[in-house]
């Protein structure tokens, strides 16, 4: 009668409770032993059966292809999977597993060890399928990125066709100045630009330029590129135009190289995906009559890449005459751009301000042409960031572009225009890549 006090496990209530504790401990030991066995048996994938294979009838892991790490990481807490039948015997419920691989709707009572093996297979198969699917997606993405990287930037430049040695000026159509047509170019009068006046060195005033330019536009091209294209005149068909003067090229090519990748503050790239706005100009028939002799002399010195002495505050220095090339740019339709107050203030403050292209320019000469490459890839971080914020609005802008030779002496004033053109709302993403396979002899 008193045996129940010292031996509670022999009593009905105490025996059930003790049995439950023993089962819990037994299950925990089995799980630990299983983990040790699985961890010690890593199989080569070449010996693995198909993913649909199940363990043998004894629950052995010898034929399993599984990752021990995955199994250990997928273990759930004891409370998630342990339960007992009404009669106190061992039973395990796995509500989180769902159905078996063979399509069973659910599990009710299965031996714990077999259940652990089966859950390992199910979870490992799920992980394996997920890993394989993820690997396939990553591989496909890498392949797609590699293919895109060979031709285009997948995030900035869409896939485009490559055109080989097009006729210069055949990409962007011409539009008369009094008409409105997007994606076009127009003539513009040189006198619409303000330049250094005759008395600029004394009164620092600017005035409208004379209505003559050394070169007049005959075409505009826009090309996409994975890397900036230097000396782009080699890859297009320039017209065969004889020069009216023996010492001045009949054609001027201006290649404005614009980056499409973000600017970096320190040690950034100076080459990458971008666009080239290529402007073509023909020498004026009245070049010798309309342009001053001083301008013509400066032009000759630029062509011959001469140097000159510049007086400084402390010491004099010798610089190339080409360092005096100056860019004139103006957005005509600021009010149409829907800028906020700070942007509008900034635009009005700097719109039309001339900029010396040095040292971000290069010069190339051919049989009948001079090419000037204006390399914005090499602009300063601040300039790049400022233009980058404005870049998406290029397709909405009417831009007047001109080039002059800066006058540093009284006899070189007033300044005169080398060339000028208007660009009407050009959306550069509509244009194509330029093939670099052909180089003219």
């Amino acid at each position: 009668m008193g045996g129940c006090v010292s031996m509670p496990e022999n009593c009905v209530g105490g025996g059930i409770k003790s049995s439950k504790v023993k089962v819990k401990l037994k299950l925990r030991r089995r799980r630990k032993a299983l983990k040790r066995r699985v961890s010690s048996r890593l199989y080569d994938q070449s010996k693995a059966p198909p993913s649909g294979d199940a363990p043998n009838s004894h629950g052995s892991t010898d034929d399993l292809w599984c990752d021990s790490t995955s199994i250990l990481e997928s273990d759930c807490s004891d409370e998630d999977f342990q339960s007992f039948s009404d009669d106190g015997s061992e039973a395990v419920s796995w509500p989180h597993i769902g159905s078996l691989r063979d399509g069973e709707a659910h599990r009710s009572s299965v031996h714990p060890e077999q259940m652990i093996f089966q859950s390992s297979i199910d979870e490992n198969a799920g992980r394996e399928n997920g890993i394989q699917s993820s690997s396939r997606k990553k591989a496909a993405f890498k392949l797609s990125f590699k293919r895109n990287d060979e031709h285009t930037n997948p995030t900035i430049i869409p896939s485009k066709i490559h055109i080989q040695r097009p006729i210069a000026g055949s990409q962007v159509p011409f539009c008369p100045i009094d008409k409105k047509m997007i994606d076009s170019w127009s003539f513009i009068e040189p006198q619409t630009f303000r330049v250094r006046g005759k008395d600029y060195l004394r009164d620092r005033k600017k005035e409208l330029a004379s209505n003559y330019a050394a070169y007049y536009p005959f075409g505009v091209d826009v090309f996409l590129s994975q890397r900036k294209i230097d000396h782009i005149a080699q890859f297009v068909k320039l017209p065969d135009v004889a020069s009216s003067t023996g010492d001045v090229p009949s054609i001027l090519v201006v290649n404005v190289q614009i980056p499409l990748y973000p600017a970096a503050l320190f040690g950034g790239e100076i080459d990458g995906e971008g666009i080239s706005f290529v402007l073509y100009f023909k020498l004026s028939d009245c070049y010798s009559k309309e342009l001053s002799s001083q301008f013509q002399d400066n032009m000759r010195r630029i062509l011959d890449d001469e140097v000159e002495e510049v007086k400084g505050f402390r010491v004099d220095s010798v610089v190339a005459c080409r360092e005096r090339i100056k860019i004139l740019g103006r957005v005509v339709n600021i009010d149409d751009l829907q800028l906020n107050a700070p942007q509008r203030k900034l635009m009005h403050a700097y719109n039309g301000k001339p900029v010396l292209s040095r040292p971000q320019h290069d010069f190339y000469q051919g049989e009948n042409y001079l090419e000037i490459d204006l390399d914005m890839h090499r602009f300063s971080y601040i300039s790049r960031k400022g233009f980058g914020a404005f870049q998406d609005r290029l397709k909405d802008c009417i831009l007047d572009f001109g080039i002059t030779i800066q006058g540093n002496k009284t006899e070189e004033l007033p300044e005169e225009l080398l060339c000028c053109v208007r660009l009407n709302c050009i959306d550069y993403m509509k244009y194509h890549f330029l093939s670099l396979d052909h180089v003219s002899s």
Side-chain angles (χ1 to χ4, degrees), residues 185-188 215-220 280-282 420-422:
W185 67 272
S186 304
F187 290 109
I188 187 174
Y215 290 85
Y216 289 90
F218 69 85
V220 173
Y280 306 97
F281 303 88
K282 178 182 175 296
C420 58
V421 67
R422 172 169 289 185

Side-chain angles (χ1 to χ4, degrees), residues 84-135:
F84 297 87
S85 62
D86 294 336
D87 60 358
S89 62
E90 291 184 42
V92 179
S93 175
W94 296 74
H96 67 288
I97 295 297
S99 61
L100 293 172
R101 215 178 309 170
D102 59 3
E104 289 181 2
H106 63 281
R107 300 182 180 122
S108 56
S109 298
V110 186
H111 192 278
E113 187 172 353
Q114 182 181 353
M115 205 62 209
I116 292 174
F117 283 119
Q118 187 62 54
S119 67
S120 299
I121 297 171
D122 290 344
E123 293 187 17
N124 190 62
R127 288 174 181 269
E128 197 66 39
N129 291 336
I131 291 172
Q132 290 177 358
S133 176
S134 176
S135 298

Side-chain angles (χ1 to χ4, degrees), residues 134-422:
S134 176
S135 298
R136 284 194 297 267
K137 290 179 181 178
K138 289 179 180 178
F141 174 77
K142 289 180 180 178
L143 180 60
S144 174
F145 184 84
K146 182 178 180 182
R147 288 175 177 172
N148 284 334
D149 189 54
E150 294 174 356
H151 303 289
T152 181
N153 187 313
T155 59
I156 298 178
I157 305 179
S159 179
K160 296 280 187 179
I161 63 173
H162 289 64
I163 52 179
Q164 184 172 4
R165 205 167 183 239
I167 297 174
S170 60
Q171 303 302 302
V172 183
F174 166 75
C175 177
I177 193 70
D178 57 342
K179 305 292 183 182
K180 290 185 178 180
M181 184 175 75
I182 61 173
D183 275 312
S184 65
W185 67 272
S186 304
F187 290 109
I188 187 174
E189 298 293 341
Q191 65 181 3
T192 60
F193 290 95
R194 301 189 69 86
V195 295
R196 291 183 175 185
K198 185 176 182 180
D199 299 322
Y200 178 81
L201 297 180
R202 180 174 53 84
D203 57 21
R204 316 301 290 182
K205 291 183 179 181
K206 293 188 176 183
E207 58 187 36
L208 295 178
S210 63
N211 208 25
Y212 304 108
Y215 290 85
Y216 289 90
F218 69 85
V220 173
D221 284 331
V222 176
F223 299 113
L224 300 175
S225 61
Q226 279 301 308
R227 314 292 291 181
K228 61 186 178 184
I229 306 175
D230 299 326
H231 197 180
I232 203 166
Q234 300 176 98
F235 308 106
V236 299
K237 295 179 182 178
L238 293 173
D240 186 12
V241 180
S243 176
S244 57
T245 60
D247 55 349
V248 181
S250 58
I251 295 175
L252 172 66
V253 180
V254 179
N255 179 19
V256 185
Q257 302 166 317
I258 303 175
L260 292 181
Y261 53 93
L265 183 57
F266 301 107
E269 293 289 334
I270 59 171
D271 196 0
E273 64 274 7
I275 48 179
S276 282
F277 279 74
V278 191
L279 319 175
Y280 306 97
F281 303 88
K282 178 182 175 296
L283 185 67
S284 171
D285 294 334
C286 301
Y287 173 81
S288 300
K289 299 177 181 179
E290 297 173 341
L291 280 299
S292 67
S293 59
Q294 185 60 53
F295 180 92
Q296 294 181 45
D297 184 59
N298 285 341
M299 187 66 189
R300 179 191 57 78
R301 298 169 69 191
I302 286 174
L303 291 170
D304 294 340
D305 196 15
E306 292 185 7
V307 296
E308 59 186 352
E309 186 175 298
V310 177
K311 294 186 178 295
F313 177 71
R314 293 184 178 179
V315 294
D316 297 342
S317 57
V318 177
V319 298
C321 294
R322 292 178 174 180
E323 299 293 278
R324 289 203 272 152
I325 292 294
K326 189 162 59 178
I327 304 170
L328 306 173
R330 179 178 66 244
V331 178
V332 178
N333 60 333
I334 295 180
D335 295 336
D336 298 336
L337 301 183
Q338 298 180 350
L339 304 174
N340 57 37
Q343 291 173 334
R344 189 178 299 107
K345 183 177 181 181
L346 191 65
M347 181 66 74
H348 281 290
Y350 292 96
N351 192 34
K353 297 288 184 182
V355 179
L356 287 171
S357 62
R358 67 181 185 191
Q360 297 88 8
H361 61 204
D362 293 291
F363 294 76
Y364 303 93
Q365 288 183 255
E367 184 178 352
N368 66 334
Y369 67 85
L370 168 69
E371 177 176 332
I372 304 175
D373 286 2
L374 304 176
D375 188 359
M376 295 181 64
H377 293 251
R378 291 188 283 162
F379 276 19
S380 67
Y381 174 78
I382 298 299
S383 300
R384 286 277 310 277
K385 289 293 289 184
F387 184 80
F390 172 75
Q391 187 171 292
D392 290 339
R393 300 179 183 271
L394 279 177
K395 62 180 181 296
D396 302 317
C397 293
I398 299 175
L399 297 170
D400 286 349
F401 175 88
I403 293 179
T404 186
I405 301 173
Q406 179 167 283
N408 293 328
K409 303 175 183 177
T410 302
E411 58 269 23
E412 297 173 342
L413 299 173
E415 294 175 339
E416 298 174 276
L417 268 290
L418 179 63
C419 61
C420 58
V421 67
R422 172 169 289 185

Side-chain angles (χ1 to χ4, degrees), residues 37 54-63 111 113-114 117:
R37 289 197 299 270
N56 57 32
S57 59
H58 301 288
S60 173
T61 59
D62 291 344
D63 296 330
H111 192 278
E113 187 172 353
Q114 182 181 353
F117 283 119

